[in-house]
Amino acid sequence: MTDTMIVYILFGAFLLLLLLGAPITVSLGVAALITYLSIGENPMAFVQMAFTSVGSFPLMALPAFILAGALMEAAGISKRLVDIAEAFAGPVTGGLAAATVFACMFFGAISGSGPATTAAVGMLMIPAMANRGYDRAYGSAVTASSGGLGVVIPPSIPMVIFGISGMGLQPPPEAVAMHGSFQTLSIPKLFIAGILPGVVIATCLLTINYFISRKKGYRGLTDSWSFPHIRATLRKGIWSMLAPIIILGGIYTGLFTPTESAVVAIVYTLVVGIFLHKELKWKPAMRTLETTTWITGRVLLILFTATVFGRLLVEQRVPAHIAEAMLAFTDNLYLIWAMIIVFLLFVGMFMETLAAIMILTPVLLPIMYMLGVDPVQVGIVVVCALAIGFQTPPLGENLFVASGIGGSSIEEISLKALPFAGGSIFAVFLIAYFPEISLWLPRIMGY
């Protein structure tokens, strides 16, 4: 059987199952299994490969970060972060919406999940914005758009998945011959690289919010900054502010790995929630375990099947063929970045972010190696572009979360979120075209 026929079977079965309404996990798994049987491979190899994919040590960070984020919400940490963001927003035009963006940045630094960030911040900020005269759909749109920062600001679950998917892909010998050796890919390095891109995206969101708020007359929270109030919120939220510092500081100083830092975050949250804030009760804590089990199970099932699907793509040299086709069309790096970003934006509208990363990493990374692009920058651009899918229909997980909290329809929120999506897309192009945005901080920190 030819390589072309195998690819037709793999993608044909995958797309057919998606059109029939099968979950993406089933579509990936069944398509890969059918292809394995078609080429006469032992199905046991399929199972062993899939099992190995979910047994890696870095992947243990996934359920731990999900649990840490859920516990921090139950322990009152997210509420205090929102209070701090509001205090700093003060008299700024559209200050409450600006505080929502800052709050999503703060909470993103401890949750690693877009929908979790949207839910935690939205529960507090959407009603608050409505009470201050903001259009409810606009408040929901700001929250849904800012929630995507949860996967860009480290720690980030999609960056963990990209790191796991990309670390096994070595640069092609042709790329090494043309561009020399490449920097190694690691999860801590991805985390550090995500900080400045997160700030760039947040700046774009804040700028758009300022102009819209000025047009609609959304005033600041106060007439001037109250430094006593800022000091009081900082004092009250000191333990909340320490959470991201401990998590990220421990990773970057080498005190512990990203996986170990997630466990440290859980222990820290339990201590703060039980003994310091005294807000973490038994029933809410049990609900966080249910949430963690549900989300982790769904992600691991996708990883289980997407790994085998991706391995088949690599074995049949699909990434190499796509790279050759793109490089034959053009060798202009900016044009190829534009094509990839548009493609990622389209995929993000229809496919769950983690599944898209696991499927596309084996395809995109070899292409960018051939162009001499650092794999860390590739990971940051992929995560940032796919994160926009959280705020764009039809998938738009953040839209559904914000709609459930605010009561506005998906259509209303989607329309109000369009300017923010445009700003985020502009930010992604900046991050792609100016590599130093992603690579400067890791380099000065010795990575």
Side-chain angles (χ1 to χ4, degrees):
M1 186 179 293
T2 64
D3 290 348
T4 304
M5 184 62 69
I6 293 170
V7 171
Y8 284 151
I9 293 172
L10 183 65
F11 280 100
F14 175 62
L15 294 173
L16 177 62
L17 287 164
L18 283 180
L19 290 172
L20 292 174
I24 191 164
T25 305
V26 174
S27 302
L28 288 168
V30 172
L33 182 59
I34 289 171
T35 307
Y36 257 84
L37 295 174
S38 300
I39 60 179
E41 290 281 349
N42 187 345
M44 282 302 296
F46 173 96
V47 177
Q48 289 168 350
M49 191 186 305
F51 180 77
T52 303
S53 70
V54 297
S56 63
F57 179 70
L59 195 61
M60 290 174 62
L62 177 67
F65 274 129
I66 294 171
L67 178 57
L71 282 171
M72 285 175 181
E73 184 181 355
I77 288 177
S78 58
K79 183 180 185 304
R80 285 165 174 80
L81 291 174
V82 168
D83 291 340
I84 292 169
E86 287 182 355
F88 276 100
V92 175
T93 300
L96 204 52
T100 302
V101 178
F102 283 120
C104 286
M105 289 180 70
F106 290 153
F107 194 77
I110 51 179
S111 82
S113 165
T117 301
T118 303
V121 176
M123 290 290 288
L124 302 168
M125 299 304 289
I126 294 175
M129 281 188 275
N131 292 336
R132 295 280 299 190
Y134 284 71
D135 179 74
R136 190 171 282 270
Y138 179 77
S140 300
V142 171
T143 309
S145 302
S146 306
L149 292 169
V151 301
V152 180
I153 300 290
S156 163
I157 294 170
M159 286 183 193
V160 173
I161 298 301
F162 181 88
I164 293 169
S165 303
M167 281 189 281
L169 298 172
Q170 297 302 316
E174 302 94 327
V176 175
M178 284 190 293
H179 305 289
S181 61
F182 287 83
Q183 294 290 319
T184 56
L185 183 65
S186 70
I187 294 171
K189 190 174 179 180
L190 284 167
F191 281 2
I192 297 171
I195 295 174
L196 287 183
V199 172
V200 169
I201 295 172
T203 302
C204 289
L205 296 178
L206 289 167
T207 304
I208 291 166
N209 170 67
Y210 173 79
F211 286 110
I212 293 176
S213 296
R214 192 172 69 173
K215 181 179 178 181
K216 292 183 175 291
Y218 298 148
R219 299 177 60 81
L221 292 166
T222 56
D223 293 329
S224 62
W225 275 285
S226 170
F227 292 103
H229 178 57
I230 292 174
R231 271 198 308 271
T233 55
L234 285 173
R235 189 166 54 248
K236 186 179 177 182
I238 183 65
W239 299 110
S240 302
M241 291 292 291
L242 280 175
I245 294 172
I246 291 171
I247 294 168
L248 300 178
I251 295 172
Y252 301 154
T253 58
L255 197 60
F256 35 73
T257 67
T259 304
E260 292 164 346
S261 74
V263 178
V264 170
I266 293 171
V267 175
Y268 178 81
T269 304
L270 289 173
V271 172
V272 171
I274 296 171
F275 300 108
L276 300 175
H277 291 172
K278 299 180 180 179
E279 293 181 20
L280 187 59
K281 306 301 180 185
W282 180 255
K283 285 188 177 179
M286 289 299 101
R287 281 198 296 272
T288 65
L289 293 176
E290 292 177 12
T291 302
T292 303
T293 303
W294 168 251
I295 297 175
T296 303
R298 187 182 69 178
V299 172
L300 290 181
L301 279 173
I302 295 172
L303 178 61
F304 193 88
T305 53
T307 299
V308 186
F309 192 93
R311 181 68 66 86
L312 277 169
L313 289 178
V314 173
E315 288 178 354
Q316 305 309 317
R317 300 193 73 249
V318 172
H321 294 316
I322 294 175
E324 289 169 7
M326 290 187 73
L327 294 174
F329 174 72
T330 178
D331 59 357
N332 186 300
L333 179 59
Y334 297 108
L335 184 56
I336 289 179
W337 263 132
M339 293 163 59
I340 287 175
I341 290 170
V342 170
F343 175 65
L344 289 170
L345 293 171
F346 177 76
V347 169
M349 292 171 62
F350 297 95
M351 188 177 291
E352 202 271 340
T353 303
L354 300 182
I357 289 172
M358 288 181 278
I359 294 170
L360 296 176
T361 299
V363 177
L364 296 178
L365 210 47
I367 296 172
M368 303 316 287
Y369 273 135
M370 293 299 293
L371 293 165
V373 180
D374 191 294
V376 171
Q377 190 201 2
V378 177
I380 298 301
V381 173
V382 167
V383 170
C384 291
L386 289 175
I388 297 173
F390 284 122
Q391 68 190 76
T392 52
L395 186 61
E397 294 174 72
N398 287 3
L399 296 176
F400 288 97
V401 173
S403 175
I405 295 170
S408 302
S409 68
I410 297 294
E411 292 78 12
E412 288 177 305
I413 300 174
S414 300
L415 191 62
K416 303 285 186 182
L418 280 177
F420 296 104
S424 298
I425 292 169
F426 174 74
V428 171
F429 273 93
L430 285 179
I431 295 163
Y433 288 171
F434 297 94
E436 287 300 292
I437 295 175
S438 303
L439 304 179
W440 175 75
L441 199 54
R443 186 171 62 252
I444 67 168
M445 293 186 70
Y447 280 87

